[in-house]
Structures are given as C-alpha cells and as structure tokens.
Amino acid sequence: LVIISGATEACLLAVMAYDRFQAVCHPLLYTVAMNRKVCTGLVGASWAIGIGTGLVDTIFLAQQHFCGPNLVHSFACEAPPVLLLACSDPYISIASIFTTMMVLGLGNFVLLLGSYTRIITTALGINSATGRNKIFSTCSSHILVVTIFYGSGIFRYMTPASGSALEHVLSVQYSVVTPLLNPLIYSLKNQEVKAALRRMLARKPRLTF
C-alpha cells in the first residue's frame, strides 16, 4: 500500500502539471484537451502504474528469506527497512526498487520539467504583471507539494537504509505529513478559506471562570 500510494501520487503530480500546462498555454482549448474522458484516462493510468509498481516490488520482496528478528524500524512497512531484516541477498529487491524509482522519478520529472518550462516561458512572454502573478499563483501550491513530496521521497529511498532517527522522521513526513498538508496547501488559494483562517487566527480566546 505504501509503494502503491507513493507511486500513484508521483504520477498524479505529473498529470496535474500537465493540466496546468494546458490551462496556461492553451486556455481556449483547455476544455477540449482536458475533457472528462482524458482526465479519467490519466487518473486511471496513474493508478495502474502505481499498482503495477507496488506488485512488482512486493513480489521481489516476498522472495527474500527472513530468519531473524521481525521488528521493522520504521513507522510504515516500507521496503528499505524490511530489507534490513532479510537473511538472503537483497540484490534483486534493491535493483527492483532502484529501477522503479529511476523510471518513475525520471519519467515524471521530465513531464514536470517540460510542463513548467512551457508555463514559465508563457508567463515571461506576458506583458501584464497581473497576468504573470495569476499564473504563478495558480501553480504555486502544486510546486510546493511537488517539492515536499519529491524532496522527502528522494532522501528516503535514494539513501542506504540504516534505521536512524532521521529515516523515521522522513518516513513520517513522506507517508503521513505530506498527504495531510495537501488539502491545506491547495485550499489556501480559496479566498473564503483564507478569510476563515484569518478570522480564526484573529479570534482572541476568552477565559471563563
């Protein structure tokens, strides 16, 4: 489940970058290019890639032999801390995880980089400062989520597993904190949410006796 959800979210973030590319660079054709059928297909493909990645990595992981302690030094049953408990050679599982990380990471990074390169080029070509600010405001929340997700994910899976406290913190941030922050980050674009948040922070607590 951890691998499936992580891989699916990585694909969905790339799909969202493509959606913003269509909205910014081809606004008049946006409803045609991103119709319900296309959106359904992109979301379905993201889940299919995530499930396929999870199954492949899990099958290779299940072929390992575990003959020692069964205590996973992590907050989630992720592949790196589980491999620390393997008595057999974990080379195949490590190669599988590294390959899927490289393919997913590189493929999604190319889509993200290509989409935002076109978005930035389009924004810089607009003479109106208001128009540029609107574009960057539209993409700011997505960029923040991408930075948090990929930053913690790269440190978590591209460094050797050791069971250290830093790995525990990164595991929680990658699998718990980042998904919990997503609704808040995306909702901050909503003016009503901003106004409600300001009212809540400005409200003085009343002491009752």
Side-chain angles (χ1 to χ4, degrees), residues 22-33:
Q22 290 289 350
V24 172
C25 300
H26 305 102
L28 299 180
L29 299 176
Y30 175 76
T31 55
V32 177

Side-chain angles (χ1 to χ4, degrees), residues 127-199:
N127 296 326
S128 170
T130 304
R132 288 195 299 269
N133 291 335
K134 187 175 181 180
I135 291 175
F136 289 123
S137 175
T138 302
C139 301
S140 59
S141 58
H142 181 255
I143 294 175
L144 180 59
V145 171
V146 168
T147 302
I148 296 174
F149 177 80
Y150 277 99
S152 57
I154 288 173
F155 278 109
R156 183 68 187 90
Y157 280 90
M158 299 303 287
T159 56
S162 61
S164 64
L166 178 60
E167 287 187 359
H168 292 179
V169 173
L170 290 174
S171 176
V172 173
Q173 179 182 342
Y174 172 75
S175 58
V176 178
V177 177
T178 301
L180 287 176
L181 286 177
N182 286 352
L184 177 62
I185 293 173
Y186 288 120
S187 297
L188 287 178
K189 295 191 304 179
N190 190 305
Q191 296 299 325
E192 294 181 359
V193 174
K194 289 182 180 180
L197 185 60
R198 291 193 194 98
R199 289 194 300 270

Side-chain angles (χ1 to χ4, degrees), residues 9-30:
E9 184 172 359
C11 294
L12 288 174
L13 288 174
V15 169
M16 293 172 68
Y18 176 73
D19 175 79
R20 279 152 177 76
F21 156 72
Q22 290 289 350
V24 172
C25 300
H26 305 102
L28 299 180
L29 299 176
Y30 175 76

